[in-house]
Amino acid sequence: WILGGAGSGKSTICHSLSETLEIPIYDMDAHIYGDYHGRFTEETHPVNRAWATAENGLAWLLNMTWEEFHNFNQAALPEYVQLLVEDLAQINTAILIDGGIVNPSLIAEVISPSQIVCLARPGRSSAEIWSENEERSSMKEYVFQLPNPEKAWHNFLEFDRSITETLLRESQESNIAICTRDESESVAHFSERVARELGIWHQAKSTKTS
């Protein structure tokens, strides 16, 4: 499981390792904001059902305080994991899980910390990260369509900053490896470091040899 805040390189590294190791990626964000919504039920996933049925899910979240948002994420995570387990039961191969969670300490209770890596990209503000390319910049345009857009955008950036801090703090507390990428480091070299932390670099070498 490869974790990290926005702009830390999760998807880039997952795709690099997927190509090298020839194993599929399970994109948690894509599932959480995609097909999971059709699978949330009031009985089994009440926290996420409340979010999914809100008139505007993003506005619903951004109207929270950080404490409320943090509590929501902690309560929502077991519901995500239940759906993930359902999907994994249909997969008979190793996979790379790309992000999707805020609380690695909870994941470390059900998955060995040795199978989790948290990526870090220090020295960059949330405002910089969410304006670094066209795809991320579009999020600000979306947020500014909400009521009280200035407040909503402020909360979005504050939540983003706090999410990254939570990921790093809980990873450290749970003995999850944290890999920090230097801006001059190539994707290939950083991917190798991540693979070594996960103990799967030997698979990469075997794949290249074969």
Side-chain angles (χ1 to χ4, degrees), residues 2-208:
I2 296 180
L3 310 176
S8 61
K10 299 183 298 297
S11 295
T12 298
I13 297 307
C14 279
H15 281 93
S16 176
L17 290 176
S18 177
E19 182 177 348
T20 302
L21 300 173
E22 298 181 353
I23 59 177
I25 298 169
Y26 189 97
D27 187 332
M28 279 297 290
D29 278 338
H31 284 82
I32 289 170
Y33 294 98
D35 75 290
Y36 281 5
H37 272 240
R39 297 161 66 184
F40 293 145
T41 66
E42 186 64 41
E43 296 74 24
T44 312
H45 318 98
V47 174
N48 283 294
R49 183 66 178 169
W51 168 45
T53 56
E55 183 176 350
N56 185 304
L58 181 59
W60 188 78
L61 293 173
L62 292 179
N63 280 331
M64 295 180 178
T65 64
W66 164 252
E67 182 177 4
E68 290 169 339
F69 183 68
H70 182 64
N71 290 338
F72 165 80
N73 284 315
Q74 289 184 309
L77 180 53
E79 297 179 4
Y80 300 149
V81 171
Q82 187 263 332
L83 294 172
L84 169 64
V85 169
E86 287 183 7
D87 290 348
L88 293 182
Q90 310 301 317
I91 300 173
N92 296 315
T93 185
I95 62 168
L96 288 166
I97 303 179
D98 180 356
I101 67 165
V102 179
N103 300 106
S105 61
L106 298 181
I107 288 297
E109 294 180 6
V110 293
I111 297 174
S112 169
S114 65
Q115 294 182 301
I116 310 169
V117 166
C118 182
L119 307 187
R121 191 180 176 189
R124 304 180 73 254
S125 70
S126 292
E128 290 172 326
I129 291 169
W130 287 97
S131 62
E132 67 180 356
N133 58 48
E134 185 175 344
E135 181 180 1
R136 289 207 178 93
S137 295
S138 65
M139 176 56 76
K140 184 174 183 178
E141 296 176 12
Y142 183 43
V143 171
F144 266 70
Q145 296 175 21
L146 302 177
N148 301 314
E150 294 286 351
K151 180 182 178 182
W153 183 241
H154 171 79
N155 285 353
F156 178 88
L157 294 179
E158 285 297 300
F159 286 4
D160 182 73
R161 178 185 59 78
S162 296
I163 284 170
T164 298
E165 290 177 354
T166 301
L167 282 161
L168 294 173
R169 184 185 70 255
E170 291 195 8
S171 291
Q172 186 174 32
E173 293 170 351
S174 301
N175 295 317
I176 293 169
I178 298 174
C179 286
T180 302
R181 180 182 176 185
D182 185 276
E183 292 299 322
S184 63
E185 187 175 13
S186 69
V187 170
H189 188 267
F190 190 47
S191 297
E192 178 181 337
R193 287 207 290 122
V194 172
R196 289 186 184 278
E197 288 289 355
L198 290 170
I200 58 175
W201 184 242
H202 64 283
Q203 293 179 235
K205 292 192 292 184
S206 298
T207 300
K208 289 178 180 177

